[in-house]
Amino acid sequence: FFAPQIHAPYKNAVTMLGFEDAQFRATPERFRTAIDTCRFAKRDLVRNAAAWNADGALEAYGRLSRLEGCPESIHPELNVLSVLVGRQRYREALPFAERVAAAIPAGRYSFQSLHLAGETFLQTGDARRALPLLRKAAGGGIDSCGLLLSLSQALSALGEHRESGLRMEQAAECGLRQGKDERPDLLLLAAERYLAAGERKETERILEALSNLKLGEADRARFLGLERRLQDEGGLSGDAVRESLP
């Protein structure tokens, strides 16, 4: 058996990056190949992105871009896009989203790329361009509450209120599956969008569920506003919503 220290560099991705960097630095410059230098620059970018250091990632990307002879890959742009979206720096992320959307990688990074590019387009005001990317990302089976929220927002911006309500309801359910607290605000948004689509029964169903939850003052006011709108537009069907809230 090998001693534990022999395996230490392979413990995780971070230690592996450090091990490869040490090997690169230990290699005399005259023996370093262009590929060695490219890989060192890519590791620097990955390390900054993993630490959510947006400025460091941008600087590393700039250094990598100035190198010659590096194999073409969309992954550097995807790494920068990931950290910029994570830091909500959407305007800076836009050129990277453009490049990633034009060359969605296959395999494990496909749906992450669709989500990040779609999120960037949505947050910079282009819901029409965001929607097909977000919809395709949601079709990949990834259990992402944030993705469902963004998809709902894009659909609502384009007037597709019924599906927007459905996706918002799914986002609320997603949070519960992941052990998060109940989100009445998401259910209220779902009800508002169902009502905008003329889906009275779906709206009533959501309000019935909300009537069993303890609502804060702002959410209670929204609930009562929805209830009044239903009554003004033709009354509630049966006992869909109780008269009082807990």
Side-chain angles (χ1 to χ4, degrees):
F1 293 97
F2 293 109
Q5 59 266 29
I6 294 178
H7 296 285
Y10 307 99
K11 181 179 179 181
N12 55 48
V14 174
T15 58
M16 186 67 186
L17 290 176
F19 176 65
E20 291 180 351
D21 283 349
Q23 287 186 316
F24 176 80
R25 292 190 179 99
T27 302
E29 190 169 345
R30 66 183 182 276
F31 295 125
R32 296 174 185 170
T33 67
I35 295 298
D36 290 337
T37 304
C38 289
R39 292 187 64 185
F40 177 77
K42 286 181 179 179
R43 289 194 297 274
D44 189 28
L45 171 54
V46 169
R47 186 166 33 250
N48 278 282
W52 296 104
N53 181 355
D55 292 330
L58 286 166
E59 291 171 7
Y61 179 82
R63 289 191 291 271
L64 177 61
S65 300
R66 291 189 291 272
L67 294 176
E68 297 181 358
C70 295
E72 289 190 13
S73 168
I74 198 61
H75 291 288
E77 284 82 0
L78 179 56
N79 275 292
V80 177
L81 178 60
S82 177
V83 67
L84 289 175
V85 170
R87 292 298 185 186
Q88 298 184 356
R89 292 166 59 168
Y90 298 111
R91 289 292 169 190
E92 293 172 87
L94 191 54
F96 296 96
E98 298 273 1
R99 294 170 204 160
V100 169
I104 298 293
R108 60 184 293 196
Y109 298 107
S110 174
F111 294 103
Q112 178 192 19
S113 302
L114 291 163
H115 184 187
L116 290 170
E119 183 72 18
T120 303
F121 294 141
L122 177 64
Q123 298 298 336
T124 52
D126 195 349
R128 192 167 301 280
R129 192 170 184 192
L131 180 56
L133 298 174
L134 294 171
R135 187 174 263 153
K136 189 171 182 180
I142 299 173
D143 197 25
S144 167
C145 308
L147 171 57
L148 291 166
L149 279 170
S150 296
L151 178 54
S152 177
Q153 291 166 2
L155 288 159
S156 181
L158 296 173
E160 298 187 32
H161 297 301
R162 188 187 186 287
E163 187 181 353
S164 175
L166 173 64
R167 297 298 189 173
M168 190 62 71
E169 196 175 355
Q170 289 174 346
E173 294 167 354
C174 172
L176 291 176
R177 280 197 308 276
Q178 295 183 4
K180 299 175 184 176
D181 292 337
E182 192 86 53
R183 289 286 304 271
D185 57 319
L186 299 186
L187 292 176
L188 283 162
L189 280 169
E192 288 165 354
R193 288 168 185 179
Y194 280 136
L195 188 57
E199 296 286 344
R200 295 180 55 81
K201 288 187 177 181
E202 295 299 321
T203 308
E204 292 171 354
R205 177 177 59 77
I206 297 292
L207 292 181
E208 173 64 17
L210 283 164
S211 72
N212 295 309
L213 301 179
K214 187 173 180 61
L215 303 182
E217 186 176 344
D219 287 343
R220 178 186 174 89
R222 288 173 66 190
F223 176 95
L224 294 173
L226 281 165
E227 195 176 45
R228 283 192 296 271
R229 284 175 61 188
L230 278 174
Q231 291 169 342
D232 292 343
E233 294 174 17
L236 300 173
S237 60
D239 297 322
V241 180
R242 297 187 302 193
E243 291 182 2
S244 61
L245 287 168

